[in-house]
Amino acid sequence: MKQDMELIKLILQTLAENENFFMLSDHLAKQIQAITNEKKRF
C-alpha cells in the first residue's frame, strides 16, 4: 500500500483549520475537493 503523504498532510491541515471539534467525512471530502480542484470526490 502506497501512502500519499501530500494527501495526508492536506487532510490534517484541513482538520486543524476547522473551528469545530469534529468534521463529517463528506464535509472533509468536499473541502479537499475544492482545494485540489478535483472533479470526483475520493
Side-chain angles (χ1 to χ4, degrees):
M1 182 171 142
K2 183 180 175 189
Q3 295 179 348
D4 186 354
M5 295 307 238
E6 290 299 317
L7 179 59
I8 294 170
K9 180 180 176 184
L10 184 59
I11 291 170
L12 292 175
Q13 286 176 337
T14 305
L15 289 172
E17 292 170 357
N18 188 23
E19 296 178 0
N20 297 324
F21 293 109
F22 65 92
M23 180 183 290
L24 298 174
S25 59
D26 60 336
H27 185 69
L28 174 64
K30 287 178 185 178
Q31 284 189 354
I32 292 176
Q33 180 184 8
I35 293 169
T36 60
N37 296 322
E38 289 288 327
K39 302 283 187 223
K40 298 188 311 182
R41 289 196 294 184
F42 55 93

PDB file of all heavy atoms in Angstrom, residues 7-27:
ATOM      1  N   LEU A   7      -1.499  14.062   0.434  1.00  0.00           N
ATOM      2  CA  LEU A   7      -2.922  13.975   0.755  1.00  0.00           C
ATOM      3  C   LEU A   7      -3.129  13.892   2.263  1.00  0.00           C
ATOM      4  O   LEU A   7      -4.014  14.558   2.809  1.00  0.00           O
ATOM      5  CB  LEU A   7      -3.555  12.766   0.071  1.00  0.00           C
ATOM      6  CG  LEU A   7      -5.037  12.544   0.350  1.00  0.00           C
ATOM      7  CD1 LEU A   7      -5.864  13.749  -0.077  1.00  0.00           C
ATOM      8  CD2 LEU A   7      -5.525  11.280  -0.320  1.00  0.00           C
ATOM      9  N   ILE A   8      -2.306  13.118   2.941  1.00  0.00           N
ATOM     10  CA  ILE A   8      -2.401  13.016   4.399  1.00  0.00           C
ATOM     11  C   ILE A   8      -2.157  14.385   5.044  1.00  0.00           C
ATOM     12  O   ILE A   8      -2.886  14.796   5.948  1.00  0.00           O
ATOM     13  CB  ILE A   8      -1.412  11.969   4.932  1.00  0.00           C
ATOM     14  CG1 ILE A   8      -1.823  10.570   4.430  1.00  0.00           C
ATOM     15  CG2 ILE A   8      -1.334  12.011   6.452  1.00  0.00           C
ATOM     16  CD1 ILE A   8      -0.795   9.502   4.686  1.00  0.00           C
ATOM     17  N   LYS A   9      -1.166  15.102   4.543  1.00  0.00           N
ATOM     18  CA  LYS A   9      -0.861  16.438   5.053  1.00  0.00           C
ATOM     19  C   LYS A   9      -2.038  17.386   4.823  1.00  0.00           C
ATOM     20  O   LYS A   9      -2.417  18.149   5.713  1.00  0.00           O
ATOM     21  CB  LYS A   9       0.387  16.979   4.365  1.00  0.00           C
ATOM     22  CG  LYS A   9       0.797  18.348   4.809  1.00  0.00           C
ATOM     23  CD  LYS A   9       2.034  18.812   4.072  1.00  0.00           C
ATOM     24  CE  LYS A   9       2.404  20.223   4.427  1.00  0.00           C
ATOM     25  NZ  LYS A   9       3.550  20.700   3.650  1.00  0.00           N
ATOM     26  N   LEU A  10      -2.656  17.310   3.643  1.00  0.00           N
ATOM     27  CA  LEU A  10      -3.800  18.148   3.314  1.00  0.00           C
ATOM     28  C   LEU A  10      -4.985  17.836   4.219  1.00  0.00           C
ATOM     29  O   LEU A  10      -5.668  18.746   4.697  1.00  0.00           O
ATOM     30  CB  LEU A  10      -4.185  17.964   1.847  1.00  0.00           C
ATOM     31  CG  LEU A  10      -5.304  18.818   1.301  1.00  0.00           C
ATOM     32  CD1 LEU A  10      -4.997  20.300   1.443  1.00  0.00           C
ATOM     33  CD2 LEU A  10      -5.560  18.474  -0.146  1.00  0.00           C
ATOM     34  N   ILE A  11      -5.229  16.568   4.492  1.00  0.00           N
ATOM     35  CA  ILE A  11      -6.314  16.167   5.385  1.00  0.00           C
ATOM     36  C   ILE A  11      -6.081  16.719   6.787  1.00  0.00           C
ATOM     37  O   ILE A  11      -6.973  17.301   7.404  1.00  0.00           O
ATOM     38  CB  ILE A  11      -6.471  14.644   5.407  1.00  0.00           C
ATOM     39  CG1 ILE A  11      -7.010  14.142   4.073  1.00  0.00           C
ATOM     40  CG2 ILE A  11      -7.392  14.209   6.556  1.00  0.00           C
ATOM     41  CD1 ILE A  11      -6.974  12.641   3.909  1.00  0.00           C
ATOM     42  N   LEU A  12      -4.874  16.560   7.300  1.00  0.00           N
ATOM     43  CA  LEU A  12      -4.574  17.034   8.652  1.00  0.00           C
ATOM     44  C   LEU A  12      -4.644  18.553   8.752  1.00  0.00           C
ATOM     45  O   LEU A  12      -5.141  19.093   9.743  1.00  0.00           O
ATOM     46  CB  LEU A  12      -3.201  16.526   9.088  1.00  0.00           C
ATOM     47  CG  LEU A  12      -3.107  15.020   9.302  1.00  0.00           C
ATOM     48  CD1 LEU A  12      -1.672  14.626   9.610  1.00  0.00           C
ATOM     49  CD2 LEU A  12      -4.034  14.565  10.401  1.00  0.00           C
ATOM     50  N   GLN A  13      -4.170  19.262   7.732  1.00  0.00           N
ATOM     51  CA  GLN A  13      -4.247  20.723   7.743  1.00  0.00           C
ATOM     52  C   GLN A  13      -5.701  21.195   7.708  1.00  0.00           C
ATOM     53  O   GLN A  13      -6.062  22.140   8.410  1.00  0.00           O
ATOM     54  CB  GLN A  13      -3.485  21.311   6.558  1.00  0.00           C
ATOM     55  CG  GLN A  13      -2.000  21.243   6.709  1.00  0.00           C
ATOM     56  CD  GLN A  13      -1.273  21.740   5.472  1.00  0.00           C
ATOM     57  OE1 GLN A  13      -1.816  21.737   4.376  1.00  0.00           O
ATOM     58  NE2 GLN A  13      -0.031  22.135   5.654  1.00  0.00           N
ATOM     59  N   THR A  14      -6.521  20.530   6.905  1.00  0.00           N
ATOM     60  CA  THR A  14      -7.934  20.886   6.823  1.00  0.00           C
ATOM     61  C   THR A  14      -8.628  20.656   8.157  1.00  0.00           C
ATOM     62  O   THR A  14      -9.425  21.484   8.607  1.00  0.00           O
ATOM     63  CB  THR A  14      -8.621  20.079   5.708  1.00  0.00           C
ATOM     64  OG1 THR A  14      -7.922  20.285   4.479  1.00  0.00           O
ATOM     65  CG2 THR A  14     -10.067  20.501   5.535  1.00  0.00           C
ATOM     66  N   LEU A  15      -8.328  19.548   8.795  1.00  0.00           N
ATOM     67  CA  LEU A  15      -8.911  19.271  10.111  1.00  0.00           C
ATOM     68  C   LEU A  15      -8.434  20.278  11.153  1.00  0.00           C
ATOM     69  O   LEU A  15      -9.213  20.720  11.994  1.00  0.00           O
ATOM     70  CB  LEU A  15      -8.563  17.851  10.556  1.00  0.00           C
ATOM     71  CG  LEU A  15      -9.263  16.728   9.794  1.00  0.00           C
ATOM     72  CD1 LEU A  15      -8.669  15.389  10.200  1.00  0.00           C
ATOM     73  CD2 LEU A  15     -10.755  16.756  10.040  1.00  0.00           C
ATOM     74  N   ALA A  16      -7.174  20.676  11.103  1.00  0.00           N
ATOM     75  CA  ALA A  16      -6.627  21.623  12.069  1.00  0.00           C
ATOM     76  C   ALA A  16      -7.235  23.013  11.900  1.00  0.00           C
ATOM     77  O   ALA A  16      -7.409  23.743  12.880  1.00  0.00           O
ATOM     78  CB  ALA A  16      -5.112  21.691  11.934  1.00  0.00           C
ATOM     79  N   GLU A  17      -7.571  23.380  10.673  1.00  0.00           N
ATOM     80  CA  GLU A  17      -8.144  24.698  10.411  1.00  0.00           C
ATOM     81  C   GLU A  17      -9.627  24.780  10.743  1.00  0.00           C
ATOM     82  O   GLU A  17     -10.178  25.870  10.829  1.00  0.00           O
ATOM     83  CB  GLU A  17      -7.927  25.068   8.942  1.00  0.00           C
ATOM     84  CG  GLU A  17      -6.477  25.313   8.602  1.00  0.00           C
ATOM     85  CD  GLU A  17      -6.237  25.448   7.110  1.00  0.00           C
ATOM     86  OE1 GLU A  17      -7.207  25.301   6.333  1.00  0.00           O
ATOM     87  OE2 GLU A  17      -5.090  25.677   6.730  1.00  0.00           O
ATOM     88  N   ASN A  18     -10.254  23.635  10.966  1.00  0.00           N
ATOM     89  CA  ASN A  18     -11.670  23.600  11.292  1.00  0.00           C
ATOM     90  C   ASN A  18     -11.887  24.141  12.706  1.00  0.00           C
ATOM     91  O   ASN A  18     -11.124  23.839  13.613  1.00  0.00           O
ATOM     92  CB  ASN A  18     -12.188  22.163  11.183  1.00  0.00           C
ATOM     93  CG  ASN A  18     -13.678  22.077  11.311  1.00  0.00           C
ATOM     94  OD1 ASN A  18     -14.391  23.050  11.070  1.00  0.00           O
ATOM     95  ND2 ASN A  18     -14.162  20.928  11.690  1.00  0.00           N
ATOM     96  N   GLU A  19     -12.925  24.926  12.878  1.00  0.00           N
ATOM     97  CA  GLU A  19     -13.183  25.530  14.185  1.00  0.00           C
ATOM     98  C   GLU A  19     -13.938  24.604  15.129  1.00  0.00           C
ATOM     99  O   GLU A  19     -14.076  24.899  16.303  1.00  0.00           O
ATOM    100  CB  GLU A  19     -13.958  26.832  13.994  1.00  0.00           C
ATOM    101  CG  GLU A  19     -13.164  27.891  13.238  1.00  0.00           C
ATOM    102  CD  GLU A  19     -13.958  29.164  13.020  1.00  0.00           C
ATOM    103  OE1 GLU A  19     -15.115  29.235  13.456  1.00  0.00           O
ATOM    104  OE2 GLU A  19     -13.399  30.075  12.404  1.00  0.00           O
ATOM    105  N   ASN A  20     -14.453  23.494  14.628  1.00  0.00           N
ATOM    106  CA  ASN A  20     -15.201  22.549  15.455  1.00  0.00           C
ATOM    107  C   ASN A  20     -14.274  21.463  15.989  1.00  0.00           C
ATOM    108  O   ASN A  20     -13.135  21.335  15.577  1.00  0.00           O
ATOM    109  CB  ASN A  20     -16.333  21.904  14.640  1.00  0.00           C
ATOM    110  CG  ASN A  20     -17.348  22.924  14.189  1.00  0.00           C
ATOM    111  OD1 ASN A  20     -17.642  23.871  14.895  1.00  0.00           O
ATOM    112  ND2 ASN A  20     -17.872  22.748  12.999  1.00  0.00           N
ATOM    113  N   PHE A  21     -14.811  20.663  16.882  1.00  0.00           N
ATOM    114  CA  PHE A  21     -14.046  19.558  17.438  1.00  0.00           C
ATOM    115  C   PHE A  21     -14.110  18.313  16.561  1.00  0.00           C
ATOM    116  O   PHE A  21     -13.393  17.365  16.781  1.00  0.00           O
ATOM    117  CB  PHE A  21     -14.537  19.204  18.839  1.00  0.00           C
ATOM    118  CG  PHE A  21     -14.268  20.290  19.841  1.00  0.00           C
ATOM    119  CD1 PHE A  21     -15.298  21.047  20.353  1.00  0.00           C
ATOM    120  CD2 PHE A  21     -12.979  20.547  20.246  1.00  0.00           C
ATOM    121  CE1 PHE A  21     -15.055  22.049  21.278  1.00  0.00           C
ATOM    122  CE2 PHE A  21     -12.720  21.551  21.175  1.00  0.00           C
ATOM    123  CZ  PHE A  21     -13.758  22.304  21.677  1.00  0.00           C
ATOM    124  N   PHE A  22     -15.004  18.315  15.574  1.00  0.00           N
ATOM    125  CA  PHE A  22     -15.155  17.164  14.686  1.00  0.00           C
ATOM    126  C   PHE A  22     -15.582  17.654  13.307  1.00  0.00           C
ATOM    127  O   PHE A  22     -16.010  18.790  13.146  1.00  0.00           O
ATOM    128  CB  PHE A  22     -16.189  16.179  15.232  1.00  0.00           C
ATOM    129  CG  PHE A  22     -17.586  16.745  15.283  1.00  0.00           C
ATOM    130  CD1 PHE A  22     -18.455  16.577  14.213  1.00  0.00           C
ATOM    131  CD2 PHE A  22     -18.018  17.448  16.385  1.00  0.00           C
ATOM    132  CE1 PHE A  22     -19.735  17.102  14.251  1.00  0.00           C
ATOM    133  CE2 PHE A  22     -19.300  17.981  16.433  1.00  0.00           C
ATOM    134  CZ  PHE A  22     -20.166  17.804  15.360  1.00  0.00           C
ATOM    135  N   MET A  23     -15.439  16.775  12.315  1.00  0.00           N
ATOM    136  CA  MET A  23     -15.877  17.098  10.961  1.00  0.00           C
ATOM    137  C   MET A  23     -16.376  15.817  10.306  1.00  0.00           C
ATOM    138  O   MET A  23     -15.715  14.784  10.405  1.00  0.00           O
ATOM    139  CB  MET A  23     -14.723  17.681  10.145  1.00  0.00           C
ATOM    140  CG  MET A  23     -15.098  18.047   8.727  1.00  0.00           C
ATOM    141  SD  MET A  23     -13.718  18.653   7.741  1.00  0.00           S
ATOM    142  CE  MET A  23     -13.441  20.228   8.518  1.00  0.00           C
ATOM    143  N   LEU A  24     -17.522  15.882   9.667  1.00  0.00           N
ATOM    144  CA  LEU A  24     -18.039  14.733   8.946  1.00  0.00           C
ATOM    145  C   LEU A  24     -17.148  14.449   7.741  1.00  0.00           C
ATOM    146  O   LEU A  24     -16.603  15.370   7.118  1.00  0.00           O
ATOM    147  CB  LEU A  24     -19.470  14.984   8.495  1.00  0.00           C
ATOM    148  CG  LEU A  24     -20.492  15.202   9.611  1.00  0.00           C
ATOM    149  CD1 LEU A  24     -21.841  15.577   9.020  1.00  0.00           C
ATOM    150  CD2 LEU A  24     -20.602  13.962  10.470  1.00  0.00           C
ATOM    151  N   SER A  25     -16.996  13.191   7.410  1.00  0.00           N
ATOM    152  CA  SER A  25     -16.081  12.814   6.331  1.00  0.00           C
ATOM    153  C   SER A  25     -16.520  13.364   4.980  1.00  0.00           C
ATOM    154  O   SER A  25     -15.671  13.742   4.164  1.00  0.00           O
ATOM    155  CB  SER A  25     -15.924  11.298   6.268  1.00  0.00           C
ATOM    156  OG  SER A  25     -17.173  10.686   6.045  1.00  0.00           O
ATOM    157  N   ASP A  26     -17.829  13.466   4.729  1.00  0.00           N
ATOM    158  CA  ASP A  26     -18.262  14.015   3.444  1.00  0.00           C
ATOM    159  C   ASP A  26     -17.981  15.513   3.358  1.00  0.00           C
ATOM    160  O   ASP A  26     -17.646  16.034   2.301  1.00  0.00           O
ATOM    161  CB  ASP A  26     -19.732  13.710   3.162  1.00  0.00           C
ATOM    162  CG  ASP A  26     -20.678  14.279   4.204  1.00  0.00           C
ATOM    163  OD1 ASP A  26     -20.251  14.502   5.343  1.00  0.00           O
ATOM    164  OD2 ASP A  26     -21.861  14.483   3.864  1.00  0.00           O
ATOM    165  N   HIS A  27     -18.055  16.203   4.480  1.00  0.00           N
ATOM    166  CA  HIS A  27     -17.716  17.631   4.512  1.00  0.00           C
ATOM    167  C   HIS A  27     -16.212  17.819   4.287  1.00  0.00           C
ATOM    168  O   HIS A  27     -15.799  18.713   3.549  1.00  0.00           O
ATOM    169  CB  HIS A  27     -18.152  18.241   5.843  1.00  0.00           C
ATOM    170  CG  HIS A  27     -17.960  19.715   5.921  1.00  0.00           C
ATOM    171  ND1 HIS A  27     -18.700  20.606   5.178  1.00  0.00           N
ATOM    172  CD2 HIS A  27     -17.094  20.464   6.636  1.00  0.00           C
ATOM    173  CE1 HIS A  27     -18.292  21.836   5.442  1.00  0.00           C
ATOM    174  NE2 HIS A  27     -17.319  21.775   6.340  1.00  0.00           N
TER     175      HIS A  27
END
